[in-house]
Amino acid sequence: MAGTDLLKGVGVFAVVVVVVLGATAATGTLLSGSSPAGDTEAPAYDTELLPTAVDDNGTVESPQSDETKTVVVDQSHGNAIGESDMEPLVDALIESGHDVRFYAGGSSSGLGSGTGGLSGGDSGLNATLRSADAFVVANPASAYTTGEINGIESFADAGGRVLLLADPVPPSSASQSLPVDIPIGTGTGTTTTPGQPTNLAATFGISFGAGYLYDMETNANNFQRIYAESAGDGDLTAGVDRLVFDDATALTTDGDATPIVESDATSSATRRDGTYPVAVRTDSVVAVGNTNFIAPDSATVADNDAFVSNMASFLVAGDKQPGVPEPTDSATGPGTGTGGFGDSTQPDTTPTLPGNGTSP
């Protein structure tokens, strides 16, 4: 009986082994049959649906200049842009030996080769500009006073370079240049709603649009990330073939300013297609309806690096008369009275948008 049981056990073991081997072979056959050679049919991986890469290998070049110039960046009007937001432009200026100073009111923090603030105890913006060669305004949250506008206009007339930058604001906003502080969480910090230098730009015959530009068909992988091209030959567009602006607004002018960059796009304010100026110039003043193009993650995209490099050169290429805007004790003029620092009277500077009667 023991021998018979042993033989039965061996027989059962042999059957189990045969079954396991057979199942393994069958499974292998099935698995090998589930992955045939060739492309996987998966519409989600259709190469036509993948985003097209935008060239991002640019380098912002430092401007060439034989003398040190001072560039003042306004921070005294709740400007919704900081040093880190414009690092490529600032770095290019500093690397070539120029001073970049951020004026916050009362004193200015300097970068580069200079020491101390420019104002020397004079808290006025106009006093700061007397020693400056260029002035940069980006996304101010509060309006410029008449006295400040008069001072900046005198500054530009004397050869000082002025760069005005602003992003779109909601079309329904009636306070494009008024401060709006928004608490962040439960902390004590605040952020400021970006505005536009509406009344200051109007002094130079320039208006920033309220809506944004978009293109649903030809864009840099986002309908609000539009392409723009040079509107003509000039120093500011040298080496510029195609630019990328993320969330840009159109500009309008009174005819004295010349478009330097344009985009074939649609305005969100009017829903109309057109060729919209995104950057314009009039004498010593340049305005751009975007701030993102000088940010670290955008300045090297497409030909943005060439445009930022040219902008840096523009800021230090002027020959500004020293001491302007001049101080005055009179009741009128750049400093006091109706043109004084504290005069809040503003001109009617309602922006004119493309498509509402003056569209291109």
Side-chain angles (χ1 to χ4, degrees):
M1 292 296 292
T4 302
D5 293 341
L6 178 60
L7 291 175
K8 288 182 178 179
V10 171
V12 170
F13 177 75
V15 170
V16 170
V17 170
V18 170
V19 170
V20 170
L21 293 176
T24 302
T27 302
T29 301
L30 292 173
L31 291 177
S32 62
S34 64
S35 302
D39 296 335
T40 301
E41 295 183 0
Y45 294 97
D46 190 333
T47 55
E48 295 183 358
L49 300 178
L50 296 176
T52 302
V54 180
D55 180 60
D56 189 8
N57 298 314
T59 301
V60 176
E61 303 290 343
S62 299
Q64 301 297 318
S65 178
D66 296 331
E67 55 182 323
T68 298
K69 298 294 182 66
T70 299
V71 179
V72 172
V73 181
D74 189 27
Q75 295 275 276
S76 65
H77 291 76
N79 304 71
I81 190 170
E83 296 179 21
S84 60
D85 299 318
M86 52 194 309
E87 181 180 336
L89 177 65
V90 173
D91 286 354
L93 292 168
I94 292 176
E95 287 175 2
S96 53
H98 301 288
D99 289 344
V100 180
R101 302 187 177 280
F102 290 83
Y103 175 74
S107 62
S108 57
S109 60
L111 300 173
S113 60
T115 57
L118 283 172
S119 55
D122 188 339
S123 59
L125 173 61
N126 291 2
T128 298
L129 293 179
R130 286 173 203 139
S131 301
D133 299 287
F135 184 49
V136 179
V137 173
N139 284 344
S142 61
Y144 287 78
T145 68
T146 303
E148 290 172 333
I149 292 174
N150 290 343
I152 296 169
E153 186 176 20
S154 298
F155 176 84
D157 290 341
R161 296 298 174 92
V162 178
L163 175 60
L164 307 177
L165 309 171
D167 295 312
V169 295
S172 59
S173 174
S175 57
Q176 296 178 18
S177 296
L178 299 179
V180 180
D181 292 335
I182 301 174
I184 300 177
T186 58
T188 58
T190 60
T191 185
T192 304
T193 298
Q196 297 176 340
T198 307
N199 54 358
L200 176 58
T203 300
F204 302 107
I206 301 170
S207 294
F208 287 87
Y212 60 84
L213 297 176
Y214 66 91
D215 191 328
M216 300 298 292
E217 297 181 358
T218 305
N219 56 59
N221 300 320
N222 184 294
F223 73 104
Q224 283 185 252
R225 205 160 181 247
I226 60 170
Y227 290 117
E229 299 178 349
S230 169
D233 296 331
D235 294 340
L236 285 168
T237 55
V240 172
D241 181 35
R242 170 179 272 188
L243 299 171
V244 173
F245 290 112
D246 193 355
D247 195 23
T249 192
L251 303 174
T252 55
T253 71
D254 63 0
D256 291 335
T258 303
I260 54 178
V261 172
E262 296 176 331
S263 177
D264 294 329
T266 304
S267 169
S268 69
T270 63
R271 303 293 181 185
R272 294 181 181 177
D273 299 335
T275 300
Y276 294 92
V278 181
V280 300
R281 177 177 183 176
T282 173
D283 296 329
S284 297
V285 180
V286 168
V288 184
N290 182 257
T291 62
N292 183 261
F293 77 98
I294 58 174
D297 60 346
S298 297
T300 56
V301 174
D303 293 328
N304 286 12
D305 60 317
F307 193 49
V308 177
S309 300
N310 297 338
M311 204 65 70
S313 297
F314 162 78
L315 290 173
V316 299
D319 188 19
K320 186 247 179 181
Q321 178 183 347
V324 178
E326 298 178 355
T328 176
D329 295 328
S330 64
T332 59
T336 60
T338 56
F341 296 125
D343 190 337
S344 60
T345 303
Q346 302 299 320
D348 183 5
T349 56
T350 302
T352 303
L353 299 176
N356 63 357
T358 60
S359 60

